[in-house]
Amino acid sequence: MPAKNAPRTKARATQPFNAGTFLASTRIARSIVAYGRGETIFTQGDAGQDVLYIQSGGVKLSVLSKTGREAIVAMLGPGDFFGEGCLAGQPIRIGSATAITPSMILVVAKGKMVQLLHQQHAMSDRFISHMLSRNIRIEEDLIHQLFDSSEKRLARTLLLLARYGKQDKPRRVVPRLSQDSLARMAGTTRARVNFFLNKFERLGFIEYDGQIPIKVNSSLLSVVLHD
C-alpha cells in the first residue's frame, strides 16, 4: 500500500497520431502540390507511382465507364490517403482524382511509402486504420444504395460531404458540387436532388437558396435515422 503522503504521478496524455504532421516532418522524400478547384490530380489509366495525402481541401474520386458515364466513388477530405492501390501491385490508376476545392496534396513515391510503413509503426497503424475505414465505408455505401430511399441517400451524402461523424469539427458547408454530381453520388436523378434539397431547406435541415454551396445542419441526421 502506498505511503499516505507519497506524491502522485500524473498520467501523461497521449496525443493522437497525426499522419499529415508526421509526413511533413519526416526526412523521407516527398513533395507538396497545390491544386485549384476542378484541377485533375491523376486520370484513369495513368501509371500508379505515388501515394497521396490530403493536407487541406477536398478530392473527388471517380470512374469512367467505356460508354463515358462517370460514377463518383468517394469524396475525400483532410487526413485522407488516396492512390494507395499502387502499394498492392496496381500498375495503373483505375479511376481519376479531381480537386473539388483548392487543395494541398502531399505526394510520396511508392517505394518511399513502403519503406516508411516498414520502419514507422505509428504511421503503419494510421495507414491500416485508414484502409479498414475505407473498406467499411464502401460496404456501407453499397448497402445504402441497395436498400435506402433516394431521400435518405442524398441526406447521407450531404452529411458525409460536411464531414459529420469525423473526429475533426464538421465544416457544415458542402463543397461546390453541381446537382448532377450530387445525383451521381446519391444514385438518383437531378430532378429528385432538386426536390429533396428544397424539402430539406423548408424543414430547416439545410441552408439553401437554390445555389450551391449548401450549409448542413445536424438535424439532417433525423432523415438518415428515421425508419
Side-chain angles (χ1 to χ4, degrees), residues 50-202:
D50 306 294
V51 177
L52 303 99
Y53 178 86
I54 305 174
Q55 288 190 320
S56 64
V59 172
K60 174 182 74 173
L61 300 184
S62 61
V63 177
L64 200 65
S65 71
K66 292 181 179 179
T67 59
R69 183 178 179 183
E70 182 191 43
I72 297 176
V73 178
M75 303 295 290
L76 308 178
D80 288 331
F81 290 95
F82 63 105
E84 66 274 9
C86 65
L87 298 177
Q90 203 173 74
I92 61 173
R93 304 294 192 192
I94 62 172
S96 300
T98 308
I100 56 173
T101 61
S103 303
M104 298 297 292
I105 308 298
L106 193 149
V107 183
V108 183
K110 171 186 172 181
K112 298 298 183 181
M113 189 68 179
V114 171
Q115 177 185 341
L116 191 62
L117 293 174
H118 284 164
Q119 295 177 349
Q120 302 292 338
H121 295 287
M123 183 65 198
S124 180
D125 289 345
R126 171 68 179 86
F127 191 76
I128 291 172
S129 175
H130 158 76
M131 293 301 299
L132 292 174
S133 297
R134 176 76 68 82
N135 287 342
I136 291 170
R137 165 77 184 279
I138 291 172
E139 290 179 357
E140 289 176 344
D141 285 346
L142 178 59
I143 291 169
H144 286 293
Q145 289 286 350
L146 291 173
F147 297 111
D148 282 354
S149 66
S150 54
E151 181 177 14
K152 276 190 176 183
R153 293 200 302 270
L154 178 59
R156 182 172 183 270
T157 297
L158 292 173
L159 288 164
L160 288 171
L161 287 171
R163 300 183 70 78
Y164 278 90
K166 293 285 185 178
Q167 290 183 354
D168 54 340
K169 185 178 179 181
R171 60 186 170 206
R172 287 195 65 218
V173 178
V174 171
R176 290 182 178 273
L177 292 173
S178 67
Q179 288 192 5
D180 286 330
S181 293
L182 287 174
R184 289 195 296 272
M185 292 182 69
T188 186
T189 64
R190 180 178 178 179
R192 297 296 283 170
V193 166
N194 185 61
F195 173 80
F196 287 125
L197 286 178
N198 286 308
K199 177 182 177 180
F200 294 160
E201 195 279 330
R202 288 196 308 272

